[in-house]
Amino acid sequence: MQANETRDISIKQTPSAVNKIKQLLKDKPEHVGVKVGVRTRGCNGLSYTLEYTKTKGDSDEEVVQDGVRVFIEKKAQLTLLGTEMDYVEDKLSSEFVFNNPNIKGTCGCGESFNI
């Protein structure tokens, strides 16, 4: 792989997620994309994190899809392998949803998961 190439093995965004990220970044020109990670918390072990980022971390994996840059933290790369990131809206909520084939179980409230 050459230096300017990116791999997209970890996560794929749906068109809805791509459009929402573009919309969110439009008002934040100092940010180059969003960073996805996992943290230990919740009643089942892990939960997703999503934040704006101004730079690519040295060990981040970069996924570029339709002009949107998503960076995967190193410790989340195996956890997110094969995951689809979606953005869903209904009458009561709007949120990013991660459809992760690696999950073995989730908590009752849906806030955390285990692998």
Side-chain angles (χ1 to χ4, degrees):
M1 183 180 326
Q2 294 182 7
N4 62 352
E5 290 183 70
T6 59
R7 297 178 296 147
D8 58 355
I9 60 171
S10 289
I11 196 167
K12 178 175 173 40
Q13 300 94 45
T14 65
S16 179
V18 168
N19 290 336
K20 185 61 177 181
I21 293 170
K22 282 181 180 178
Q23 179 185 8
L24 292 169
L25 289 173
K26 187 186 296 185
D27 298 330
K28 301 193 178 314
E30 70 277 12
H31 292 89
V32 297
V34 295
K35 186 175 289 196
V36 179
V38 293
R39 297 286 182 268
T40 303
R41 69 175 165 213
C43 53
N44 216 313
L46 298 170
S47 65
Y48 299 105
T49 62
L50 187 61
E51 60 190 19
Y52 298 106
T53 187
K54 294 180 180 181
T55 60
K56 177 186 183 292
D58 290 338
S59 58
D60 291 346
E61 177 179 346
E62 181 178 358
V63 178
V64 179
Q65 186 175 326
D66 297 326
V68 169
R69 296 172 74 189
V70 175
F71 303 96
I72 314 298
E73 292 179 345
K74 181 177 177 113
K75 68 181 184 177
Q77 290 172 8
L78 289 177
T79 303
L80 295 171
L81 194 63
T83 296
E84 177 187 72
M85 180 179 168
D86 195 8
Y87 182 76
V88 295
E89 291 184 77
D90 61 30
K91 291 180 181 179
L92 299 176
S93 67
S94 59
E95 63 186 338
F96 284 99
V97 175
F98 296 87
N99 299 309
N100 187 334
N102 305 304
I103 291 178
K104 303 289 188 236
T106 59
C107 65
C109 65
E111 290 293 319
S112 63
F113 63 94
N114 66 54
I115 297 207

